[in-house]
Amino acid sequence: MAHVANQSTSETITQFGRYVIPNYRRFPVCLVRGEGPWVWDAEGHRYLDFFPGWGCNLIGHCPPRVVEAVREQVGQLIHVPNTWYMEPQGAFAQALSERSFHGQCFFCNSGAEANEAAIKLARAYGHSAGRYKIVTMEHGFHGRTYAALTATAQAKYHAGFEPMVPGFTYVPFNDLEAVAAVLDDQTAAVLVEPIQGEGGVNVPSPDYLPGLRRLCNERGVLLILDEVQTGLGRTGEWFAYQHHDMAPDILTCAKALAGGIAAGVMMATTDVAMVFKPGMHASTFGGNPIACRAGLATIETIEQDGLLERGKAIGERFRAQFEAMRAELPHLIREIRILGVMIGLDLTFDASEVVSECLRRRLLINATHGHVVRLLPALNLSDDLIDEGCAILADVLRQMVV
Ligand SMILES: *Cc1c(COP(=O)(O)O)cnc(C)c1O
């Protein structure tokens, strides 16, 4: 493909300075093109991407089946409101239902919106019984809209925006007794990520999710799983809860849901879902034909290319690479946390310098929770590129003076 930049990176940065609200910290790089594991900047430099689209590009940049489906759909029907039936939305809902717990879908456009829908549905379900409280976990992340932000039990995200939405209670993650202690007859739901993403790739003990399920059943409380980051194959199963013998009442998913096209979904068991009557909740763009075609093409790609299995193998290859790094640099690496292509390398020091040094060497990674290197690579990353990127990362770690 020809060089596609219209202006230099520095011209774009100047334009942002004048016209774009500065609510993000951005790297001084303007990306103009992506293909599989690679992205290119305006100057034509190529980068190996171990964090494609902040987890949204689960099958790589510009996956061919998604590109083809969107191209076809965009020429046929771009958008119609949810006052009409549309084939792609029904087909996508069926595909998701059949790959999870056979519930029903509400579509929206982002993770925060999916969680807002889940919180509203849980409250509507508990309303006649006086159940409205939502229990969430410390270091969790659920989005930036008000209820999702309130659900996010991290003070740094609340600062300056108080007062928050009433009715939320926070307990430590991976602690069943703490949850049992706060559930009461006003509790509507427990909301939790199966693996905490932004909170540092925190994998709970194997009995945690089944234990939450049991507790919720005993106390008449709904269990909502936020699979916005873990969903649609990230962990080597369609949804992370499928590593266990249990299922939620409500599940949210977004990031990877439609191969990089904006989309969110809240799924609920039919028993819970039927509380939503016409007019109680809505999203103008939710379930639009383009996003749903993209989602269907994403599922098709993962299935036809055997990518759930591949995701597990990629995770194990990263684990082996990280174990070797830890053997060589034991003072730098505290813990390795991996499930499929959800990958955390917990360092003994602030990881931001590792990120900027990797960027200098044209490897894109992420740091979260201060000291955790987080990788959310695509499910179709090759062994050679895993090794190539890990060699860069190991080299960068070797040069760290801590
Ligand atoms: C990213 C994320 C969200 C928020 O999603 P947005 O699309 O940014 O609103 C919510 N929950 C989890 C677990 C996430 O990782």
Side-chain angles (χ1 to χ4, degrees):
M1 189 189 283
H3 191 57
V4 286
N6 297 305
Q7 59 186 15
S8 71
T9 291
S10 76
E11 286 169 316
T12 300
I13 290 174
T14 302
Q15 190 174 46
F16 268 61
R18 172 71 182 86
Y19 297 109
V20 179
I21 293 176
N23 60 307
Y24 298 99
R25 217 172 285 115
R26 296 177 195 270
F27 298 110
V29 175
C30 177
L31 300 177
V32 294
R33 180 163 84 86
E35 189 182 319
W38 305 105
V39 282
W40 285 262
D41 69 17
E43 281 67 35
H45 302 122
R46 190 179 76 166
Y47 301 78
L48 175 57
D49 199 350
F50 276 6
F51 198 65
W54 205 278
C56 298
N57 301 331
L58 178 61
I59 50 176
H61 289 277
C62 299
R65 289 184 187 87
V66 174
V67 170
E68 200 43 51
V70 168
R71 281 201 172 124
E72 190 182 283
Q73 185 61 46
V74 85
Q76 183 182 332
L77 186 67
I78 292 179
H79 181 68
V80 288
N82 279 300
T83 46
W84 307 99
Y85 292 96
M86 47 198 113
E87 287 180 10
Q89 188 178 135
F92 192 32
Q94 181 177 349
L96 291 169
S97 179
E98 288 174 351
R99 285 160 187 77
S100 57
F101 52 93
H102 308 286
Q104 294 178 307
C105 298
F106 163 80
F107 290 103
C108 49
N109 311 287
S110 68
E113 277 178 274
N115 286 327
E116 293 287 332
I119 291 163
K120 281 182 71 177
L121 180 62
R123 284 191 168 179
Y125 185 81
H127 195 256
S128 59
R131 290 183 178 269
Y132 66 95
K133 293 180 187 168
I134 311 286
V135 177
T136 69
M137 311 306 156
E138 290 168 10
H139 303 302
F141 185 85
H142 302 292
R144 306 298 193 126
T145 56
Y146 255 106
L149 180 63
T150 307
T152 297
Q154 299 195 55
K156 67 176 179 191
Y157 292 119
H158 294 181
F161 299 113
E162 304 88 345
M164 308 311 288
V165 176
F168 286 77
T169 310
Y170 311 131
V171 298
F173 184 61
N174 199 23
D175 184 342
L176 288 172
E177 279 171 30
V179 176
V182 298
L183 295 183
D184 62 26
D185 56 15
Q186 294 177 321
T187 307
V190 170
L191 165 60
V192 63
E193 295 158 85
I195 297 172
Q196 289 187 330
E198 309 301 315
V201 192
N202 302 320
V203 183
S205 55
D207 62 344
Y208 184 59
L209 290 181
L212 282 179
R213 177 71 276 176
R214 219 173 311 115
L215 259 180
C216 287
N217 287 350
E218 284 164 18
R219 308 287 186 92
V221 169
L222 297 177
L223 178 59
I224 307 171
L225 291 184
D226 178 344
E227 295 230 24
V228 169
Q229 192 161 144
T230 52
L232 217 81
R234 168 71 53 201
T235 68
E237 298 285 348
W238 285 115
F239 297 98
Y241 81 83
Q242 292 167 331
H243 291 278
H244 309 278
D245 183 22
M246 53 85 63
D249 302 294
I250 301 175
L251 180 148
T252 57
C253 183
K255 290 194 168 79
L257 186 63
I261 297 281
V265 68
M266 174 193 67
M267 289 190 269
T269 62
T270 49
D271 173 49
V272 175
M274 68 184 213
V275 174
F276 265 178
K277 302 283 189 267
M280 285 177 72
H281 195 58
S283 165
T284 298
F285 279 119
N288 68 78
I290 294 172
C292 291
R293 285 291 302 276
L296 284 163
T298 302
I299 288 176
E300 185 187 310
T301 301
I302 291 172
E303 253 160 21
Q304 294 193 357
D305 296 352
L307 295 184
L308 293 180
E309 280 311 306
R310 177 64 196 150
K312 291 176 186 158
I314 291 173
E316 289 321 301
R317 196 168 186 94
F318 271 102
R319 187 185 301 282
Q321 290 277 4
F322 288 179
E323 295 289 1
M325 286 180 213
R326 181 160 61 177
E328 184 191 334
L329 306 159
H331 58 298
L332 298 185
I333 296 171
R334 186 180 289 127
E335 199 174 38
I336 296 161
R337 298 191 287 269
I338 296 176
L339 196 63
V341 287
M342 185 142 185
I343 296 171
L345 183 64
D346 197 344
L347 303 178
T348 55
F349 59 99
D350 186 90
S352 54
E353 212 186 316
V354 178
V355 175
S356 42
E357 192 53 27
C358 282
L359 172 61
R360 216 178 57 75
R361 299 180 190 212
R362 308 219 168 106
L363 171 69
L364 306 187
I365 64 169
N366 170 257
T368 192
H369 207 65
H371 46 83
V372 180
V373 168
R374 177 174 46 159
L375 310 179
L376 296 172
L379 286 170
N380 44 15
L381 186 62
S382 71
D383 286 350
D384 286 351
L385 290 179
I386 294 170
D387 298 351
E388 189 176 319
C390 284
I392 295 171
L393 182 58
D395 214 41
V396 166
L397 288 178
R398 266 179 219 119
Q399 287 174 16
M400 287 290 138
V401 184
V402 289

